[in-house]
Amino acid sequence: MTDPAERLRRVRALFDAVADLAPSERAAALERLAVDDIALQREVTALVAADATTAAALHSPFAPGDMWHRSDAAALVGQRLGPYDVVGLIGMGGMGAVYEGARADDQYRKRVAIKLVQRGFDSELTLARFRRERQILASLEHRNIATLLDGGVTPDGRPFLVMEYVDGAPITAWCNAHHLGVRERVALFRQVCHAVTHAHQNLVIHRDIKPGNILVTADGRVKLLDFGIAKLLDAASGDDAMPLTRGGTRAFTPEYASPEQIRGDALTTASDVYGLGVVLFEVLTGRRPYLVSSRALVDIERAVLEEPVPRPSAVVTAELAELHGEGTVDRLRRRLQGELDNIVLTALRLEPVARYHSADALDEDLGRYLAGLPVRAHGAWVGYRLRKFVRRNAAAVVASVLVCVALVGGTIATVVQSRRAEEARLQEAQVNSFLRDLLSSVQPETGSRDARVSQVLDAAARRLPQELMGQPRVRAELEALIGGSYSGLGRYDEAETHFRAALRLHQQSSGPRSPGTVLALSNLGQLYLAKGALDTAESYFMQALSLHTLGSRRPDTVQAALLANLGSLAHSRGRPVDAERYHRQVLAIRRGLMGDHDDLVAQSINDVGVAVGEQGRMEEAESLARVSLALFRGNHPGPNARVAGALNALAGVLDFEGKVAPAESAYVETLALKKQVLGAEHPEYALTLFNYSFLVFDQKRYPEAAAIARELLALRDKSLPESHPAIAGALQTLGRSLDRLGDPAGGEQALLESLALRRKYLGPDSWLAASSEGMLGEHYLFLKQYPKAEETLLHAQGLFVKALGESNPRTLANTRRLVALYDAWPRPAKAAEYRARIPLTTQ
């Protein structure tokens, strides 16, 4: 007996295959497609006849023979639905119409879109789908998804939805109209991935991803529309199991459907990944992966299931190159070859398990492409193409020698394009293998179940030279990774050793101007910036920027990162105007490449905010910090370390503004979030706790400030080495608090230890060492030991001026300590001398 589900699938497939054919052709097609199954032919013929009154609607919604003419739908214009005036008819689809509306009781005319089921299409199944769309939209709140505003029921009982009005163009048309380049198109498409990822996180499969459902507004924001046939992953699939007729309830657009949709199989999020792949292919090439002359499902099924997907770089045209602004087709082809070819082909794999496992994974690979990092997709398409060849030419494949010839031919055809991606994949696999083996072999020294981060790093540092001696590129990547981890722990000497090893390996294996060499120089510059050796940091930054500029004339993400380094350097030098200039350049580059909502754009907005805050423009700084935080929260709806970092930055701005209550609230929220995401022993948690201790101290809550300092110091030699900045900082806060709590001996001991640590790990000329000296001088002033205070503060002043300049806020803070000293001594002439060095605007 035939399986009922299989029978139903065949009915649906045959119906879609013949419904568009002329009556004279339909019978012959059914005989050819359902040979020896007369009952099946009759069943499909009856279904087509029953659907004849509405079959034409799919091809021409406003054709004279439709059940509902455009004039019928337009009759609603000028009427009112609930509080909404119906202003005009936007368009008609399968089961309903979409109108432009305006809320009648608003003081201004806010445009909305009203979606309504048309009379004659309001069957129980259609209404159930419509109600389900409302349920789905109510669960989705994302800036790249059209927002559900309201809903209601017409007087004759038909439901309607009120949506955000999206004034935009399909993504393909928008890209061409704005002559976007390849990178700009990829950055824009990532917004689509963000929207689909949000839907999947809310257990919703869209099932109809196509350019017509992806509009782009004038300001470059993507909006994903039409969840009318979406599916809730945790809902019953009752209506999905029913045959879908052509009367407007077709559950997919064939040209963008996944293989499993076409076959009628169960759907997962992988089906949306396939749809994203089709749209990305069209965005990049101007055409769909499959070119078929008929919309009949049998033709589309044959193309999707049997024809190999061409590489995007192989189908571009001169006309498309002009739309991309690339000048020549060869140049556009080079832009697409390699990573982008492989990314698109991975999303379009026939088997769902072989595609990207999620829309987020596809988005991540696109981000890696834009950032110049190795992508995870690779060109293992020879077997896939050969399998398709054999399926299409089974009669011709009469001997294994032909298979070998096809295999060799496929290898030759793909080896050049896939070599770079394959090397990156192998390198990444080796890196992952090393780390996996390392983590499984590290034994905690404490007898507990967990190994400390420092133990893992130390084990990696010992094993790396021996195990990867003959693989310089893999070793270079791991040296950089280990160096960055040591730097994050404040173990700067070990970090420098590994960063220098990475630089040497990149220079030897890839060349002195390679991207790896540029990155290694940048890492060393950031290390010296953290140590306070600003001149050395600048030297490395400029070397990296110079080498990168020689190899790339167009702004890219690497150039943006290098300019951001210079912005951070200017900030540390106390030159906020220069810092703002650099960070605004970075922001412009990143927006141009990635759009308005990428995490790196959010980070640049935050960096600009810090720079303007240092110039005293605190209202603007707070506004920018809030924009940055909103972007991070939009990109990461759940608990996330990046959101915590942005929240921490906002807390700092509010603290600087003297807005104590909101600043403290932001600090407390940041700490809770970092504790949840990272843990209470993580260095990032410790840094926020350290910043919070300053606010508590400034509020004269000295016992609490001392308690926070001791909490930080309890992490010493556990998750934080004594070289970590938070340790010296905590000793400084503890010393100042103990002074106020009547324990000056304990305070002096803590302050001296803070100074000793900074001199040991950062050098005696570091401005951070000067900061510790300034705090120690303040301690002597507190004890009225004026000569000792003068000696200490003057020495600190010399270090500040040399490292940061006289106008730096940190230098000026120490200048104020000297003024306070000479006022208290009293030595009024000296007090006046140093007071004159403080700008009137900051006094």
Side-chain angles (χ1 to χ4, degrees):
M1 179 179 291
T2 304
D3 178 58
E6 174 61 21
R7 177 91 177 167
L8 184 60
R9 189 191 72 78
R10 291 198 66 195
V11 168
R12 180 165 56 187
L14 280 173
F15 174 86
D16 284 326
V18 303
D20 286 333
L21 300 179
S24 59
E25 300 175 0
R26 191 175 296 138
L30 276 173
E31 289 179 5
R32 184 176 69 254
L33 296 171
V35 64
D36 299 330
D37 196 336
I38 303 300
L40 181 61
Q41 295 179 30
R42 289 173 178 171
E43 187 175 349
V44 174
T45 300
L47 188 60
V48 171
D51 191 62
T53 56
T54 59
L58 186 66
H59 296 291
S60 179
F62 307 133
D66 284 347
M67 179 183 291
W68 288 101
H69 300 286
R70 185 180 181 89
S71 59
D72 296 319
L76 193 62
V77 175
Q79 298 185 32
R80 178 174 292 188
L81 294 178
Y84 299 95
D85 285 335
V86 180
V87 176
L89 178 64
I90 297 174
M92 296 178 64
M95 69 178 180
V98 181
Y99 299 87
E100 180 183 350
R103 189 171 179 90
D105 55 359
D106 273 356
Q107 308 226 342
Y108 58 92
R109 292 184 70 80
K110 179 179 180 181
R111 299 172 80 185
V112 298
I114 302 173
K115 186 172 183 179
L116 174 67
V117 173
Q118 285 296 314
R119 284 191 299 273
F121 293 88
D122 48 351
S123 66
E124 285 302 318
L125 178 58
T126 300
L127 293 177
R129 287 204 174 102
F130 199 84
R131 287 190 291 268
R132 184 183 61 183
E133 180 178 10
R134 181 171 59 191
Q135 174 188 354
I136 287 171
L137 287 170
S139 70
L140 301 178
E141 294 184 11
H142 193 274
R143 66 171 183 279
N144 295 125
I145 296 177
T147 304
L148 176 67
L149 302 175
D150 202 351
V153 179
T154 64
D156 59 359
R158 289 177 292 148
F160 65 88
L161 304 179
V162 181
M163 308 287 300
E164 168 190 6
Y165 184 91
V166 180
D167 188 5
I171 186 170
T172 47
W174 199 91
C175 288
N176 292 337
H178 290 78
H179 295 278
L180 295 192
V182 170
R183 295 180 65 84
E184 290 81 2
R185 289 171 188 248
V186 170
L188 183 70
F189 183 80
R190 291 187 69 195
Q191 294 186 45
V192 187
C193 295
H194 297 165
V196 176
T197 294
H198 180 74
H200 290 176
Q201 288 171 343
N202 285 273
L203 304 180
V204 174
I205 310 174
H206 188 282
R207 300 203 296 183
D208 197 19
I209 296 173
K210 59 185 179 181
N213 285 338
I214 304 168
L215 301 187
V216 186
T217 61
D219 63 354
R221 176 173 294 192
V222 164
K223 289 288 185 179
L224 181 61
L225 312 176
D226 200 352
F227 282 78
I229 63 168
K231 178 181 179 180
L232 289 168
L233 286 171
D234 61 349
S237 59
D239 65 308
D240 293 315
M242 301 180 67
L244 301 178
T245 70
R246 304 291 289 229
T249 54
R250 186 183 184 90
F252 55 82
T253 302
E255 294 86 346
Y256 297 90
S258 66
E260 55 269 30
Q261 278 180 290
I262 290 173
R263 290 191 299 255
D265 296 341
L267 301 185
T268 67
T269 54
S271 183
D272 278 352
V273 171
Y274 188 94
L276 287 169
V278 178
V279 175
L280 180 57
F281 191 105
E282 189 169 356
V283 165
L284 293 175
T285 69
R287 50 157 280 187
R288 291 187 288 272
Y290 306 101
L291 297 180
V292 292
S293 58
S294 166
R295 295 184 79 248
L297 190 61
V298 65
D299 293 329
I300 296 173
E301 180 174 2
R302 184 181 300 114
V304 171
L305 299 182
E306 297 183 9
E307 295 297 324
V309 181
R311 288 176 288 107
S313 62
V315 301
V316 293
T317 64
E319 180 183 3
L320 185 69
E322 183 177 349
L323 289 173
H324 278 72
E326 294 294 348
T328 68
V329 68
D330 287 340
R331 185 170 179 178
L332 175 57
R333 186 171 291 118
R334 286 194 298 271
R335 297 274 187 203
L336 299 177
Q337 282 174 342
E339 287 94 346
L340 283 178
D341 274 346
N342 291 327
I343 288 172
V344 174
L345 295 178
T346 299
L348 290 175
R349 290 202 173 173
L350 185 68
E351 307 87 352
V353 294
R355 297 173 204 148
Y356 287 103
H357 63 81
S358 67
D360 191 46
L362 169 59
D363 174 58
E364 181 185 358
D365 234 6
L366 292 172
R368 293 174 69 85
Y369 161 77
L370 290 174
L373 299 172
V375 301
R376 303 188 189 284
H378 57 87
W381 280 79
V382 175
Y384 175 73
R385 290 172 177 270
L386 178 62
R387 193 161 61 249
K388 297 254 185 171
F389 175 84
V390 173
R391 182 183 298 172
R392 294 196 315 274
N393 302 277
V397 184
V398 295
S400 62
V401 64
L402 293 183
V403 178
C404 293
V405 169
L407 181 60
V408 171
T411 303
I412 294 172
T414 60
V415 68
V416 175
Q417 291 82 6
S418 66
R419 181 181 297 149
R420 182 179 175 189
E422 184 67 12
E423 288 176 354
R425 184 188 68 81
L426 291 173
Q427 180 172 321
E428 182 178 24
Q430 289 171 310
V431 169
N432 290 338
S433 176
F434 178 87
L435 294 176
R436 184 170 56 250
D437 293 345
L438 175 71
L439 290 171
S440 65
S441 65
V442 171
Q443 300 297 322
E445 298 170 357
T446 60
S448 65
R449 65 176 183 172
D450 296 322
R452 297 175 184 168
V453 174
S454 58
Q455 288 177 251
V456 177
L457 289 175
D458 292 343
R462 288 192 301 268
R463 292 175 54 176
L464 195 56
Q466 292 79 23
E467 296 192 14
L468 295 172
M469 184 177 298
Q471 302 176 65
R473 292 187 181 182
V474 178
R475 182 182 164 191
E477 184 172 344
L478 284 164
E479 293 280 11
L481 180 65
I482 293 170
S485 299
Y486 274 131
S487 181
L489 291 173
R491 293 174 60 175
Y492 297 130
D493 289 343
E494 291 97 328
E496 182 174 0
T497 297
H498 291 281
F499 281 150
R500 289 196 179 282
L503 174 61
R504 183 183 69 255
L505 290 164
H506 277 303
Q507 288 173 330
Q508 292 172 352
S509 63
S510 305
R513 296 181 181 179
S514 67
T517 298
V518 171
L519 178 61
L521 290 168
S522 176
N523 285 338
L524 281 166
Q526 291 176 20
L527 174 67
Y528 280 104
L529 180 62
K531 294 173 66 173
L534 305 185
D535 290 340
T536 306
E538 182 174 21
S539 174
Y540 280 111
F541 289 152
M542 295 309 296
Q543 286 183 64
L545 185 61
S546 176
L547 288 177
H548 181 68
T549 304
L550 288 173
S552 176
R553 296 181 179 180
R554 297 182 64 178
D556 57 16
T557 54
V558 177
Q559 181 182 355
L562 296 173
L563 290 172
N565 287 340
L566 294 177
S568 299
L569 179 68
H571 170 77
S572 296
R573 289 194 186 280
R575 299 172 183 168
V577 175
D578 291 339
E580 181 184 358
R581 174 170 54 83
Y582 280 122
H583 287 309
R584 287 196 185 278
Q585 289 180 41
V586 174
L587 178 58
I589 293 172
R590 286 174 172 169
R591 272 183 168 152
L593 295 174
M594 304 171 182
D596 290 333
H597 306 288
D598 192 85
D599 278 357
L600 288 175
V601 172
Q603 183 59 54
S604 289
I605 291 172
N606 184 75
D607 292 339
V608 173
V610 171
V612 302
E614 293 246 332
Q615 298 172 61
R617 291 147 52 193
M618 299 311 302
E619 185 175 345
E620 183 180 358
E622 181 182 341
S623 174
L624 289 167
R626 291 189 183 279
V627 170
S628 175
L629 176 60
L631 288 175
F632 278 120
R633 278 181 162 156
N635 292 344
H636 308 283
N640 185 271
R642 292 177 179 177
V643 174
L647 190 59
N648 182 76
L650 176 62
V653 173
L654 295 170
D655 190 0
F656 194 88
E657 288 183 283
K659 298 180 178 179
V660 178
E664 180 159 12
S665 175
Y667 276 131
V668 170
E669 185 180 354
T670 303
L671 287 167
L673 186 54
K674 285 189 174 182
K675 190 172 186 178
Q676 177 184 0
V677 175
L678 303 173
E681 294 189 352
H682 194 279
E684 286 296 321
Y685 177 85
L687 284 174
T688 297
L689 195 61
F690 170 55
N691 292 334
Y692 179 48
S693 72
F694 280 102
L695 180 142
V696 173
F697 179 86
D698 289 340
Q699 294 304 301
K700 301 181 180 180
R701 291 149 52 186
Y702 303 128
E704 187 179 350
I708 293 174
R710 290 191 174 102
E711 181 181 347
L712 286 167
L713 292 171
L715 302 177
R716 189 176 190 173
D717 293 329
K718 293 181 180 177
S719 60
L720 298 179
E722 70 169 15
S723 57
H724 195 277
I727 298 300
L731 286 166
Q732 188 170 283
T733 299
L734 178 61
R736 299 176 76 199
S737 299
L738 291 177
D739 275 348
R740 275 71 176 179
L741 292 171
D743 183 10
E748 184 168 341
Q749 180 181 352
L751 291 169
L752 285 169
E753 188 176 0
S754 172
L755 175 58
L757 287 177
R758 282 180 169 166
R759 282 177 171 170
K760 176 181 178 180
Y761 292 107
L762 302 177
D765 296 331
S766 164
W767 68 264
L768 282 167
S771 176
S772 287
E773 276 198 280
M775 292 297 113
L776 185 60
E778 182 185 83
H779 163 77
Y780 293 135
L781 172 59
F782 184 76
L783 298 179
K784 299 182 180 180
Q785 298 177 10
Y786 300 134
K788 210 168 184 178
E790 181 183 38
E791 178 185 3
T792 306
L793 290 173
L794 286 175
H795 188 262
Q797 188 76 0
L799 294 178
F800 274 125
V801 171
K802 181 179 178 181
L804 304 177
E806 289 192 359
S807 61
N808 186 275
R810 297 178 179 88
T811 306
L812 294 176
N814 197 70
T815 306
R816 292 188 184 92
R817 295 187 194 103
L818 283 164
V819 172
L821 166 66
Y822 292 127
D823 279 341
W825 203 330
R827 297 174 66 180
K830 280 287 189 180
E833 175 188 341
Y834 282 96
R835 188 175 282 111
R837 300 182 185 183
I838 303 173
L840 292 175
T841 55
T842 63
Q843 288 187 10

